[in-house]
Amino acid sequence: MLLAVDCGNTNTVFSIWDGERFIGTWRTATDWRRTADQYFVWLNTLIQAQGIKTDITDVIISSTVPRVVFNLRVLADRYYNTRPLVVGKSDCLLPVDVRVDEGTAVGPDRLVNTVAGFDHYGGNLVMVDFGTATTFDVVAEDGAYVGGVIAPGVNLSLEALHQAAAALPHVDISKPEHVIGTNTVACMQSGVFWGYVGLVREICAQIKVERDVPMKIISTGGLAPLFQQAADLFDAYEDDLTMHGLQIIHKYNKDNGTPE
C-alpha cells in the first residue's frame, strides 16, 4: 500500500492508497518540529481507530515546507522500511514536462496538481488552488506545466486586514447575502468574497487571452467549494486533486524503474 503525504503551509494530509482507491485520509496542522515518532503514533492511532488494516510498503511526499521533509523521510525509513519519493527531487520522475525559466523552482504542490489535472481533463487547463496562497497553474495541451500566477490567499488577506486596521474584526469568509453590506462584518465578507471572484475571473480571462486557446478552469483547495457558488467561475471542482496526482506520480516512477 502507498502512503501519500501532502504537506502544505497550513495543514499536512496523509492518505493511504490500496491500489484502487484511497481507504483513509487524515489531516494535521503542519509543524516542522513534529518528530517521526510523533507522526507515527498519531497516524497509527487513527488508522487503528478506523479499523483499517494496512501494510504500507511505499511513501510519496509533496511538501511546500522543506523543514518538514526530514522527519517525514525518517518516518518512512524507520516505520515503513522504505525510501520515500519526494516530488521535486531529482530522483522523482514526472510524467509531464516543466517549461519555465531556467533555474526556477516550481512548488511541488503545483506540479502534482498539474499531473492530476491533466489525467482528469487533458491539457489546456488553468488549475486554481485556494490554499495559503491562491495559485493559478497553467497546463499546456501536452500536459506540461508552463507557469502560473501567485496571489495572496483568502485567509491571509482577511488576517492582514484585521491586523492592519484596529477597528476591523476578524471574520470568517462566506458568501454574503448582498454585495452592499449594512454592517462591518458583511462589508468585509463582501469585499473579500466578491474581490476574489473578480481576481479569479480576470486572471483566468487574461491567461486565456495570452494562451489564445479554449481552456478549462478547475478549482481545488479548502475554500474552493465556497467560490463554486459564484456562477460560471469554474468548469469543475476537485477535492482530492493532490492525492490523485501523488498516486499517479508514484505509479509512473514504479513503472519507469526508479530505484527504491
Side-chain angles (χ1 to χ4, degrees), residues 3-27:
L3 175 63
V5 185
D6 172 33
C7 177
N9 291 296
T10 304
N11 293 310
T12 301
V13 181
F14 294 74
S15 288
I16 296 175
W17 173 261
D18 69 356
E20 295 182 356
R21 63 189 180 93
F22 285 104
I23 59 174
T25 298
W26 304 274
R27 184 181 301 265

Side-chain angles (χ1 to χ4, degrees), residues 25-27 40-52:
T25 298
W26 304 274
R27 184 181 301 265
F40 178 74
V41 170
W42 170 81
L43 183 60
N44 197 49
T45 299
L46 290 172
I47 290 171
Q48 291 182 355
Q50 289 188 221
I52 296 174

